[in-house]
């Protein structure tokens, strides 16, 4: 199978490409990534240098001509769309790029794929499209969409466009909605790598509000397997929820992290809550379990310890991301080719 993966230089896309190339010797992957601040070309450089089944293309999912060329020239069988603006706080500061990429870019990809007769299209979405829960209950695939941030609204917009493409054109799209991911290669603006870096530097750990917002955490490899199962076994037009069955308050995540890195809880600083901050997310992923055979494999404490061990072992990666050094490397590397 030949896959076009978008956003493959980001956190989840990087892990997905690494896992899929290792698991499927007969798959090849073209990775289309714009390399925004969140895209890091160093993540897959070893593979780019050594793996003939992998190719990187620097470009934008909103670019119709480029996407059409990639789909037609490469004999692509399926598309997996990870590309997105993904950070809620940034979407509060400026929603525009979120609408452009997350809605417009996703629609452009689907339209090009439809015109090229692509046989399978997985659109990667999020639990945040469902809005917020009270103290009990879980989101199912039929929970009404009620996004509360510009980020989640833009993801919901793309989900609805995907639904319309299926209903209108019988376009073979499948939608995954997953809870909070953590693991290697996550950009240090997100909770776990940010808290890790601050703790290591003995800086305050900023926790929104009372820290009692609840998220369901999933190790990134488990999410990637969910996307793989959706791609290979899912029903066209279907939405599949994925989660880690690991509900944690933000404050408990931070406390566990501090205990793993051996730093005091006095570093925790409560800061003004994020506007529109959803109180609780929890996923019912029984449909994916029944139809796809999905089950998360890693308990949260074990996954967190593994993640922190990865950050400990990859200090150079973190330094390059923090200093922006990967950007100058990227300019030279791609100019030379
Ligand atoms: P990320 O921000 O780490 O990576 C996004 C990638 O998309 C980057 O490499 C970036 O350069 C690329 N990109 C952005 N705009 C682009 C454009 N216009 N054209 C081409 N590439 C572009 O995000 P992530 O955490 O890896 O999330 C990947 C996907 O999974 C997103 O769609 C996100 O909504 C979804 N998701 C994330 C989580 C999570 O916890 N991180 C949970 C559920 C769903």
């Amino acid at each position: 199978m030949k896959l076009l993966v978008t956003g493959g230089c980001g956190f989840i896309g990087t892990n997905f490409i690494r896992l899929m190339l290792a698991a499927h010797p007969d798959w090849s992957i073209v990775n289309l990534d714009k390399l925004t601040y969140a895209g890091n070309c160093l993540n897959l450089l070893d593979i780019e240098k050594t793996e003939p089944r992998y190719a990187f293309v620097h470009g934008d999912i909103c670019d119709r001509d480029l996407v059409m060329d990639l789909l037609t020239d490469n004999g692509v069988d399926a598309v997996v769309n990870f590309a997105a603006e993904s950070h809620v706080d940034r979407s509060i500061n400026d929603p525009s790029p979120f609408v452009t990429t997350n809605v417009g870019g996703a629609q452009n990809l689907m339209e090009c794929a439809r015109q090229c007769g692509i046989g399978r299209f997985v659109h990667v979405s999020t639990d945040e499209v469902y809005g917020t829960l009270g103290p009990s209950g879980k989101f199912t695939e039929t929970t009404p969409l009620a996004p509360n941030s510009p980020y989640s609204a833009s993801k919901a917009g793309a989900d609805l466009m995907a639904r319309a493409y299926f209903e209108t054109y019988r376009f073979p799209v499948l939608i995954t909605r997953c809870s909070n991911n953590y693991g290697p290669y996550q950009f240090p603006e997100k909770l776990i790598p940010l808290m890790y870096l601050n703790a290591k530097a003995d800086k305050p750990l900023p926790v929104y509000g009372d820290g009692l917002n609840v998220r369901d955490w999933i190790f990134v490899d488990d999410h990637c397997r969910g996307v793989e199962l959706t791609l290979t076994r899912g029903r066209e037009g279907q939405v599949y929820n994925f989660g880690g069955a690991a509900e944690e308050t933000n404050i408990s995540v931070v406390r566990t992290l501090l205990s793993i890195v051996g730093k005091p809880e006095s570093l925790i600083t409560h800061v003004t809550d994020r506007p529109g901050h959803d109180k609780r997310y929890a996923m019912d992923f029984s449909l994916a379990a029944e139809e796809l055979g999905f089950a998360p494999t890693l308990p949260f404490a074990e996954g967190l310890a593994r993640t922190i061990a990865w950050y400990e072992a990859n200090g150079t990666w973190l330094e390059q991301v923090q200093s922006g050094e990967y950007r100058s490397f990227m300019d030279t590397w791609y100019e030379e080719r």
Side-chain angles (χ1 to χ4, degrees), residues 88-89 91-93 148-150 208 272-278:
V88 174
D89 290 337
S91 81
I92 293 169
N93 287 342
N148 291 318
S149 73
Y208 279 132
T272 309
D273 208 356
R274 168 195 276 165
H277 200 180
D278 291 331

Side-chain angles (χ1 to χ4, degrees), residues 16 83 102:
F16 180 78
N102 298 3

Side-chain angles (χ1 to χ4, degrees), residues 213-234:
N213 301 65
V214 175
R215 299 292 180 262
D216 169 55
W217 291 90
I218 182 170
F219 192 69
V220 64
D221 287 6
D222 282 333
H223 179 197
C224 291
R225 282 193 201 93
V227 173
E228 175 191 20
L229 289 167
T230 305
L231 177 66
T232 54
R233 297 189 195 169

Side-chain angles (χ1 to χ4, degrees), residues 10-12 14-15 18 43 182-187 219-221 303 306-311 314 317:
F11 163 46
I12 304 173
T14 292
N15 285 285
R18 287 184 172 279
N43 289 357
Y182 66 99
Y185 299 102
Q186 189 165 29
F187 192 79
F219 192 69
V220 64
D221 287 6
R306 197 192 279 193
T307 302
I308 287 168
W310 187 89
Y311 284 118
N314 288 275
W317 182 88

Side-chain angles (χ1 to χ4, degrees), residues 103-115:
V103 187
Q107 187 272 330
N108 183 55
L109 276 178
M110 285 188 274
E111 182 57 26
C112 293
R114 183 176 83 85
Q115 288 182 19

Side-chain angles (χ1 to χ4, degrees), residues 88 91 103 125-132 139 143-160 177 275-278 281:
V88 174
S91 81
V103 187
S125 188
T126 166
D127 58 356
E128 300 192 30
V129 298
Y130 296 122
T132 191
F139 298 130
T143 301
L145 302 192
N148 291 318
S149 73
Y151 163 68
S152 53
S154 68
K155 295 296 292 185
D159 287 16
L160 292 175
R177 294 190 182 132
H277 200 180
D278 291 331
Y281 304 143

Side-chain angles (χ1 to χ4, degrees), residues 46-101:
D46 54 330
I47 289 187
E48 188 166 355
K49 283 179 173 167
T50 56
E51 177 53 80
R53 293 180 295 132
Y54 171 78
F56 171 68
V57 177
H58 185 194
D60 193 327
I61 60 167
C62 301
D63 182 339
R64 183 183 179 282
D65 292 345
L66 173 63
V67 173
M68 285 301 277
D69 285 351
L70 287 176
L71 292 177
T72 46
D73 291 355
N74 287 281
V76 168
D77 302 299
V79 177
V80 180
N81 179 30
F82 289 101
E85 292 290 341
S86 70
H87 192 43
V88 174
D89 290 337
R90 287 178 187 258
S91 81
I92 293 169
N93 287 342
D94 181 8
S96 302
F98 287 75
V99 176
T100 304
T101 287

